[in-house]
Amino acid sequence: MEKIIQITSGRGPSECQCVVAKVLKVFLEEAKQNKIDYEIIHRENGDENLTLKSVTLLLKGKEINEFLKSWLGSILWVGKSTFRKLHKRSNWFIGIFELEGLEKINFNEKDIRFQTTRSQGSGGQNVNKVETAVRATYPKTGQSVFVQDSRSQLENKKLSIIRLKEKVMELHIQQLEKQMQETWNNHLNVQRGNPVRTFSGTDFKKNYQEKSFKKERHQLKNELKNYRNDLN
């Protein structure tokens, strides 16, 4: 099973962007523990160092649905801003949402068309007599890259595959984000104040809020059972 999810600060300030980076680390650690493979397919850096406005992940695994039950929705971090020390606000929200109803691009290297040519210098002049430069094109999207980093045609071909895949996936993610932006904002507005998880402190200690109230129900059942025993 595969799912594409995004951890996003929405339109939040640097504090929310910092929370995205912190939550991502915890999220990936738990994914590993649950034997869920992941791939970061797009990330948008935040306004400050070591922060993220958003990160998009491709998840693969059998227990994805169960794993995401305790993650999808709004996430709250309770703490003082490290960017604005005099700022009074202490509650910072981000969102984790699944990108649904959108077809994932299956990038296949076999579909790439390669064209070799001589490496070019300034002004478009050929700098060698051997065709070591490579132009790689992906017909399904029409995107292409030109690589002449190495004197080896094979090395340039390998680099062109990597760069072309990144370019194709980046376009796809941009399309996803454009279509889902309104949905993210709505989610953030609706679910703000009702987080599925809460973190606190600079060490980002996890305080998971259980919505099922299983512990409370179990405790009440035991109390009721003891009460009945006392009556008998």
Side-chain angles (χ1 to χ4, degrees), residues 53-231:
K53 291 183 179 180
S54 67
V55 58
T56 306
L57 303 163
L58 172 63
L59 303 180
K60 299 179 181 179
K62 295 181 180 180
E63 305 297 330
I64 292 179
N65 288 333
E66 190 65 28
F67 171 70
L68 289 177
K69 282 182 180 179
S70 63
W71 278 109
L72 294 179
S74 65
I75 307 294
L76 167 65
W77 175 63
V78 181
K80 294 297 182 180
S81 171
T82 57
F83 304 107
R84 296 175 288 176
K85 294 184 178 180
L86 299 179
H87 198 65
K88 295 182 179 180
R89 179 177 168 184
S90 59
N91 291 341
W92 310 94
F93 289 89
I94 67 168
I96 300 183
F97 307 113
E98 179 182 353
L99 304 185
E100 299 177 289
L102 296 166
E103 183 180 357
K104 173 182 169 290
I105 290 181
N106 293 313
F107 185 88
N108 192 336
E109 294 182 11
K110 294 181 180 180
D111 295 330
I112 299 176
R113 293 178 181 173
F114 296 100
Q115 180 182 2
T116 59
T117 184
R118 296 179 185 178
S119 295
Q120 296 179 349
S122 58
Q125 295 179 343
N126 294 331
V127 296
N128 59 36
K129 298 180 180 181
V130 183
E131 293 187 344
T132 58
V134 175
R135 181 176 297 280
T137 304
Y138 199 64
K140 290 184 178 180
T141 62
Q143 291 171 294
S144 66
V145 295
F146 180 75
V147 180
Q148 58 177 6
D149 299 44
S150 172
R151 294 182 179 181
S152 166
Q153 184 185 115
L154 180 59
E155 289 299 317
N156 285 332
K157 186 175 181 180
K158 291 179 180 179
L159 286 173
S160 71
I161 294 174
I162 295 172
R163 293 177 185 176
L164 185 58
K165 181 178 180 180
E166 291 176 350
K167 194 171 184 179
V168 170
M169 293 307 298
E170 183 177 2
L171 174 64
H172 182 54
I173 295 303
Q174 288 175 352
Q175 293 172 344
L176 290 178
E177 290 181 344
K178 184 177 181 180
Q179 295 182 49
M180 294 301 293
Q181 187 63 50
E182 184 176 348
T183 302
W184 295 332
N185 291 335
N186 289 340
H187 275 301
L188 285 172
N189 291 332
V190 171
Q191 297 183 0
R192 189 182 297 272
N194 185 32
V196 294
R197 289 200 180 196
T198 298
F199 297 86
S200 63
T202 55
D203 60 349
F204 238 66
K205 181 180 178 181
K206 184 178 71 172
N207 295 318
Y208 177 52
Q209 297 181 342
E210 292 193 29
K211 298 296 182 179
S212 62
F213 300 103
K214 289 183 180 179
K215 291 183 179 179
E216 288 82 352
R217 287 201 299 268
H218 183 68
Q219 183 178 352
L220 288 173
K221 285 182 180 179
N222 287 336
E223 290 177 356
L224 182 59
K225 182 178 180 180
N226 293 334
Y227 178 71
R228 287 176 176 172
N229 291 335
D230 290 341
L231 289 177

